[in-house]
Amino acid sequence: MHDNLDSLPSLNENYELSLEQISSYQRNGHILLRGVADQEEIAVYEPIISDWVQKLNGHDKPVEERDTYGKAFIQVGNLWEKSEAAARFTLAKRFAKIAADLMGVDGVRLYHDQALFKEPGGGHTPWHQDQIYWPFDTDKTITLWMPLVPISEQVGSMTFASESQKIGYINKMVISDESHRTLGQYIEGKGFEKMNYGAMAAGDVTFHSGWTLHSAPGNPTETMRKVMTIIYFADGIRIAEPDSNARKADLAAWLPGQSPGDAAGSRLNPLLYSRV
C-alpha cells in the first residue's frame, strides 16, 4: 500500500494559531483544534495506520478477560519506524509546528508516536499524567491526539482537568484502577474544572501538556475508536535521572543510548520543527 511515497500528502503546510488559542492552551493545559488534517489527508493515512495496528496488535485475549490497562486500548508505539508512509504522518512539520507554537518554544523533537485504538466494548482510560512515564524534568512536553475516524459524543474526546498541569508531578501512579480513584478524588479536592470536547471529526485534534490530568470514557459503540497520538518535547531539554521503573523503561525504549544529564535527542528523536 502506497509504495509511491510521493503520492502521499506532505502534511507540511502551516496551520495558523491565534494568540488566544496559544494563551488558552498555556492556561488550561489542553486545547481542541478543528481540521488540523483534512478529509483527503485522513482518507490516505487512516488505512495505512490501521493496517500497521492490525499487524502489530499484541492482544491475544478478548477485551473482557484483560486488566484495566489492557481493556483501555490496543496500543502500538513508534509506527513511524515500521513504515515510511506512517513516518510521513508522525514526522509532519504541520503538527510539530503547532506543538512548538502552543508550548512557546523554538523547536520540538519527537518523543514517540502511539496508535491508541479503543475496541467496541473497550474500557475507560483511568485518570493519569503522561509524564510520570517520561524521564524529563520539564513542563515542555505535549501530546497530539487525533481521531482517524469520526468519534461520537458517546465516546468523545478525552476529559481534561483544566490547569492541573500547573502543579507538575502529583504522584507516580501508573494507569490503573487505583490511579483513577486517587486522582479522581484529588481533582474533586482541588476543584479543577473538568473539560470534555465531545464529538470530534477525523482530523480534529486535542493537544495536552505532559502534566495535564486526563482520562477517557470507554467505547460503548460498535465501531473501533481509532486515534493516533504523537508526543513532542522541546529541543534542548535534558534527561532526568529516572526515579521509577516506568521511567527507566522509557529511557531505554525511547531514548536509546542516552543517559541522565544528556540533551534528549537519540536517533529515535529527530528534530521535527525549528524556528531558528
Side-chain angles (χ1 to χ4, degrees), residues 27 46-47 57 79 90 123 139 148 165 170 192 220 239 248 274:
R27 182 173 62 251
E46 181 274 315
N57 172 15
L79 280 181
T90 295
D139 61 356
L148 304 174
Q165 84 284 0
I170 295 168
F192 290 127
I239 298 170
K248 281 181 192 142
S274 179

Side-chain angles (χ1 to χ4, degrees), residues 103-124:
M103 290 195 290
V105 299
D106 285 335
V108 293
R109 289 182 178 271
L110 176 68
Y111 185 40
H112 60 86
D113 69 25
Q114 264 186 333
L116 298 175
F117 281 29
K118 200 179 282 274
E119 297 147 285
H124 74 127

Side-chain angles (χ1 to χ4, degrees), residues 167-230:
I167 290 180
Y169 196 106
I170 295 168
N171 66 33
K172 300 185 176 168
M173 280 186 188
V174 295
I175 297 175
S176 59
D177 293 332
E178 192 190 357
S179 79
H180 196 65
R181 196 167 47 247
T182 305
L183 293 171
Q185 287 165 351
Y186 182 85
I187 289 161
E188 296 305 321
K190 288 279 183 192
F192 290 127
E193 185 187 348
K194 288 187 276 200
M195 178 73 196
N196 184 298
Y197 293 108
M200 290 174 72
D204 289 349
V205 301
T206 58
F207 276 90
H208 66 274
S209 159
W211 287 129
T212 303
L213 281 163
H214 59 287
S215 66
N219 180 3
T221 72
E222 296 302 307
T223 53
M224 180 83 82
R225 186 211 73 179
K226 299 181 178 187
V227 166
M228 188 63 177
T229 68
I230 308 169

Side-chain angles (χ1 to χ4, degrees), residues 4-22:
N4 178 9
L5 291 172
D6 295 336
S7 71
L8 292 172
S10 74
L11 303 172
N12 286 337
E13 305 80 2
N14 193 27
Y15 181 97
E16 214 49 66
L17 291 175
S18 68
L19 291 175
E20 174 23 49
Q21 285 172 315
I22 294 168

Side-chain angles (χ1 to χ4, degrees), residues 71-137:
K71 283 186 174 113
F73 29 62
I74 298 170
Q75 186 174 18
V76 179
N78 266 17
L79 280 181
W80 75 278
E81 279 190 287
K82 325 277 192 303
S83 149
E84 284 187 70
R88 273 287 177 99
F89 186 92
T90 295
L91 308 181
K93 188 174 168 189
R94 181 191 308 163
F95 307 157
K97 181 177 186 294
I98 297 171
D101 288 347
L102 289 173
M103 290 195 290
V105 299
D106 285 335
V108 293
R109 289 182 178 271
L110 176 68
Y111 185 40
H112 60 86
D113 69 25
Q114 264 186 333
L116 298 175
F117 281 29
K118 200 179 282 274
E119 297 147 285
H124 74 127
T125 308
W127 284 109
H128 65 283
Q129 291 179 297
D130 293 337
Q131 209 167 311
I132 63 149
Y133 291 95
W134 307 341
F136 300 132
D137 184 16

Side-chain angles (χ1 to χ4, degrees), residues 41-92:
E41 290 164 341
I42 291 291
V44 172
Y45 284 103
E46 181 274 315
I48 293 167
I49 292 168
S50 294
D51 193 44
W52 278 98
V53 170
Q54 200 172 353
K55 277 185 205 162
L56 300 168
N57 172 15
H59 284 307
D60 53 5
K61 290 181 182 164
V63 172
E64 57 277 6
E65 290 175 27
R66 299 180 211 150
D67 65 9
T68 298
Y69 192 94
K71 283 186 174 113
F73 29 62
I74 298 170
Q75 186 174 18
V76 179
N78 266 17
L79 280 181
W80 75 278
E81 279 190 287
K82 325 277 192 303
S83 149
E84 284 187 70
R88 273 287 177 99
F89 186 92
T90 295
L91 308 181

